Amino acid sequence: FPRVDKYLFVSQQALDEFGKFLFAHNVPSSRLGKLLFVPNAVRSFGEVREHQRTGILFVGRASDEKRLPLFLELTRRIEAQRPGQFRFTVVGSPSAEGFPHVVFRGIVSDEQEMAALYADHDLLAMTSSREGFPMVILEAMAHGLVVLSTPVGDVPNRLDGSFACITSSVDEVVVLEEMTAGILALDADRERMRRMKRVALDRAKQDADPATFRERYRSLLISPNSET
């Protein structure tokens, strides 16, 4: 630790957890000025778009913490209540049998293709049990998507009800009930959804500006011992 100039974190929660770890190992709190929070930026921004059928997007690898099966159960529940009313797409995970109403796109590595997928949807659903602050949230906001998320990592501190719907817990039953209600309510009130999408895009431009991001890193590299 004494040999490192700065530690950079893209998640405030991760920074706080590391600070507690250092404190537990007798590192003086005066040394914690080395820990810096520098949020990520996005490469490009889209625009708010409207679609005849509300599109719900899941982006994430097939890992335990992403809880793809929970998202798929969410789609099953919504499809049963409103047959054919919504579009569901999964990116980053392999196909799963038994979900004919879901489009599985697999891994998408092309930036323009991914941007087109964001633009073709209205809501991002993140059902994770644990996160820091994933890039997928910023990218979705940058293309004018409303975010539906569990209260993990930095989500409760960096998202709010003006452009996001955050569940009250990570419990699967709660997530299913609250996300289902949130999705149906937004689809029924398209004007509210449009407002939230505009706020999401504006917030992304404010919080994930690439010019600000570059300047923070440039300043750090030029003067690593100064505050950024």
Side-chain angles (χ1 to χ4, degrees), residues 15-197:
L15 186 155
D16 293 341
E17 288 180 354
F18 192 62
K20 293 176 182 178
F21 168 80
L22 295 175
F23 181 79
H25 287 77
N26 302 312
V27 175
S29 59
S30 60
R31 304 289 295 277
L32 300 188
K34 291 185 176 186
L35 311 187
L36 296 180
F37 170 57
V38 180
N40 274 324
V42 296
R43 292 179 180 271
S44 62
F45 297 88
E47 60 185 6
V48 173
R49 299 190 181 187
E50 296 184 29
H51 307 100
Q52 185 175 1
R53 295 169 62 209
T54 297
I56 304 172
L57 180 66
F58 175 95
V59 182
R61 63 189 182 279
S63 61
D64 290 342
E65 66 269 18
K66 298 294 184 183
R67 299 199 294 189
L68 173 61
L70 181 57
F71 173 75
L72 294 177
E73 182 56 35
L74 175 68
T75 71
R76 193 200 303 276
R77 177 175 293 199
I78 294 174
E79 182 66 15
Q81 295 186 35
R82 301 287 193 276
Q85 188 168 326
F86 294 86
R87 297 175 293 116
F88 306 98
T89 305
V90 171
V91 175
S93 297
S95 301
E97 295 183 359
F99 298 92
H101 55 283
V102 178
V103 175
F104 293 88
R105 295 296 300 267
I107 296 174
V108 177
S109 55
D110 182 80
E111 186 174 334
Q112 292 185 345
E113 183 181 357
M114 194 65 231
L117 280 167
Y118 283 123
D120 194 40
H121 292 79
D122 305 281
L123 310 174
L124 172 78
M126 195 179 76
T127 53
S128 302
S129 60
R130 178 178 173 82
E131 290 284 356
F133 194 77
M135 278 296 297
V136 62
I137 290 181
L138 291 175
E139 291 172 348
M141 291 168 55
H143 287 84
L145 273 69
V146 177
V147 179
L148 298 98
S149 177
T150 48
V152 290
D154 283 5
V155 166
N157 297 324
R158 296 175 64 181
L159 306 186
D160 61 56
S162 65
F163 63 93
C165 297
I166 305 171
T167 61
S168 59
S169 110
V170 298
D171 178 80
E172 293 190 3
V173 173
V174 173
V175 172
L176 283 174
E177 291 179 352
E178 295 185 357
M179 282 197 178
T180 298
I183 290 169
L184 295 180
L186 284 172
D187 186 66
D189 188 349
R190 293 298 186 94
E191 180 54 37
R192 178 189 171 214
M193 183 161 65
R194 281 193 290 270
R195 289 197 305 269
M196 294 179 72
K197 294 172 76 170

